Amino acid sequence: MLGPPGAGKGTQAKLLAERLQVPHVSSGDIFRAALSDRSLLGQQVSRYLERGELVPDDLTIAVVEGRLSEKDCENGFILDGFPRSVVQAEALEGFLSERRTELTHVINVQVGERRIVERLTARRSCRQCGAVYNVLSRPPERAGKCDVCGAELLSREDDNEETIRNRLRVYEEETEPLLTFYGHRGLLVTVDGDKQVEAIADEIIRCLSG
Ligand code: AMP
């Protein structure tokens, strides 16, 4: 899943993983879990996440390849937030071809910049189970509490205006070139991320089976 921060790619990746019964592999979720566990990886990545900068490619590639090597990824996976640079995309291509497999689709979730800032500042997520809400368009049933597990909902620390602006700049510089990279390989499908969550999910499923 490709798209700027706030495009809703995490929400869509989760839905898709549930529908297709394959793991949802999110580099951002892996890094946030490492931060809250205060692990060595957490210490290595914290300053990048705080500033909205990319974690260095070699570390990110090692972490994601480690996750993709686990048994539950054998029959497929939904990648969310990785690759985010051409170096990462090339590494992924090499990793998959060594395993005689390849990406089948690259879904680009497209959303305008004004909507992105609106969405990210309204985003709340559950620290316990990772469920994501939007206080304006997809609020929880009880304010501030997760519908799934009842834990408290929080804003992500990197969803403040300064970091959002930096993440958007990083996206344009580092990640947007992947649209051309995957376009050339005939893998890219663009969906309109401005629609209702379920409508976008249906469109993605149609693209995958088409
Ligand atoms: P996300 O949850 O995908 O928005 O990612 C949150 C943060 O984790 C990003 O702003 C980066 O600091 C870091 N991150 C996640 N995925 C990657 C990646 N593929 N490459 C480098 N940094 C990443």
Side-chain angles (χ1 to χ4, degrees), residues 38-200:
R38 298 170 195 267
S39 66
L40 174 63
L41 176 64
Q43 291 165 30
Q44 287 168 311
V45 303
S46 70
R47 62 192 162 122
Y48 301 103
L49 270 79
E50 269 163 29
R51 295 182 201 147
E53 284 166 13
L54 292 188
V55 172
D57 285 328
D58 50 355
L59 181 57
T60 305
I61 291 165
V63 165
V64 174
E65 288 187 353
R67 175 67 189 92
L68 295 180
S69 302
E70 287 175 31
K71 188 137 185 63
D72 63 337
C73 291
E74 258 174 18
N75 294 321
F77 45 79
I78 307 291
L79 266 179
D80 164 18
F82 181 91
R84 248 185 167 94
S85 67
V86 172
V87 171
Q88 293 179 14
E90 284 169 345
L92 176 65
E93 213 166 51
F95 172 85
L96 294 177
S97 85
E98 273 171 24
R99 281 156 184 75
R100 304 199 187 293
T101 184
E102 56 190 3
L103 294 181
T104 55
H105 297 81
V106 176
I107 314 282
N108 173 35
V109 186
Q110 204 170 42
V111 176
E113 192 165 327
R114 216 179 40 179
R115 293 277 289 163
I116 289 172
V117 179
E118 223 173 77
R119 278 194 188 178
L120 290 178
T121 46
R123 173 159 73 180
R124 301 288 181 276
S125 48
C126 174
R127 276 283 163 90
Q128 197 155 294
C129 75
V132 179
Y133 302 85
N134 179 301
V135 288
L136 304 174
S137 64
R138 201 176 159 82
E141 274 169 27
R142 279 187 306 150
K145 301 281 178 214
C146 178
D147 292 347
V148 182
C149 70
E152 201 185 340
L153 300 180
L154 297 166
S155 283
R156 268 173 50 170
E157 273 166 28
D158 58 353
D159 281 346
N160 64 73
E161 211 172 319
E162 192 187 337
T163 312
I164 290 170
R165 227 176 287 125
N166 200 32
R167 284 157 63 205
L168 284 170
R169 188 187 54 75
V170 168
Y171 170 77
E172 277 165 23
E173 285 173 13
E174 305 280 341
T175 311
E176 230 168 33
L178 293 182
L179 300 181
T180 311
F181 182 93
Y182 286 121
H184 281 152
R185 283 159 177 75
L187 295 176
L188 194 69
V189 181
T190 295
V191 298
D192 176 6
D194 242 340
K195 296 193 293 194
Q196 293 289 318
V197 169
E198 283 73 19
I200 303 169

